[in-house]
Amino acid sequence: MRKLLFQSLFRRPFTEEAPSPDDAALAELASELGHAARRRLGRSLSIREIDAGSCNGCELEIHALSNAYYDVERFGLRFVASPRHADVLMVTKNMREALERTYHATPDPKWVIAIGDCARDGGCFAGSYAVVGGVSEVVPVDLHIPGCPPTPTAMLRGLLALLERVDTGAVSP
Ligand code: SF4
């Protein structure tokens, strides 16, 4: 036992090294997004995430935005627990009634972002009797962020692109 404990002090962990993302670019992107939200809304951007049926891959990446590494709250972006407090709905897939009710409970102005390939057209589950189709089959979608799953950085880029389109009037509240 003592030998094992001693070895574990010096042995490298078995897990692979994580790729090192560009910290400066990430901070710049999130900060720009925070500024864009304040310019457009006069306050932080509040996001309600709806996982209306998925493999959870996209959801894990969305959760990563709030972890200690990405920590998007420091830039004024908040994930909220109720659609009544939200500006943006991030949807990962279809569950028709829950999605419709959440959409109608979210006050205007609001925007819908469909995250991942499944949210666009059902992805690898398309054609299943249990899948209605893309999110746009149920509620209007303002932006789709592709990927299986998309990275947290791609989601931040997507949110920024959405606010820029709102600023130029290309997307209406
Ligand atoms: S897009 Fe990929 S990761 Fe996201 S829910 Fe579908 S299968 Fe899972």
Side-chain angles (χ1 to χ4, degrees):
M1 180 65 188
R2 201 182 309 163
K3 185 178 166 201
L4 193 64
L5 189 63
F6 188 71
Q7 281 175 342
S8 66
L9 287 175
F10 297 99
R11 196 170 48 204
R12 284 172 56 81
F14 289 123
T15 48
E16 288 178 26
E17 292 282 336
S20 58
D22 185 338
D23 293 359
L26 188 68
E28 194 178 321
L29 185 61
S31 159
E32 204 176 321
L33 184 53
H35 288 312
R38 274 186 282 279
R39 204 171 47 239
R40 179 64 186 85
L41 303 169
R43 57 178 167 74
S44 317
L45 187 68
S46 298
I47 303 165
R48 170 77 174 120
E49 187 240 333
I50 310 163
D51 183 355
S54 76
C55 79
N56 289 118
C58 287
E59 196 178 25
L60 286 170
E61 299 298 323
I62 292 171
H63 288 180
L65 287 171
S66 301
N67 69 17
Y69 179 76
Y70 289 98
D71 190 19
V72 291
E73 282 214 13
R74 72 194 144 129
F75 301 109
L77 305 173
R78 295 185 309 136
F79 281 87
V80 292
S82 165
R84 297 193 194 283
H85 303 153
D87 305 303
V88 169
L89 300 179
M90 269 189 167
V91 186
T92 57
K93 221 172 143 192
N94 273 328
M95 193 164 68
R96 183 181 281 275
E97 192 183 337
L99 183 52
E100 282 172 341
R101 288 169 66 172
T102 307
Y103 179 79
H104 293 302
T106 308
D108 289 324
K110 61 188 166 199
W111 302 282
V112 178
I113 305 175
I115 303 280
D117 293 347
C118 287
R120 181 181 51 204
D121 56 10
C124 55
F125 303 103
S128 157
Y129 69 92
V131 174
V132 176
V135 173
S136 59
E137 299 282 330
V138 182
V139 295
V141 171
D142 298 293
L143 182 76
H144 173 244
I145 301 175
C148 181
T151 62
T153 308
M155 291 182 216
L156 287 177
R157 284 206 182 95
L159 280 166
L160 185 58
L162 176 75
L163 286 174
E164 281 170 357
R165 282 167 60 187
V166 170
D167 257 349
T168 59
V171 175
S172 54

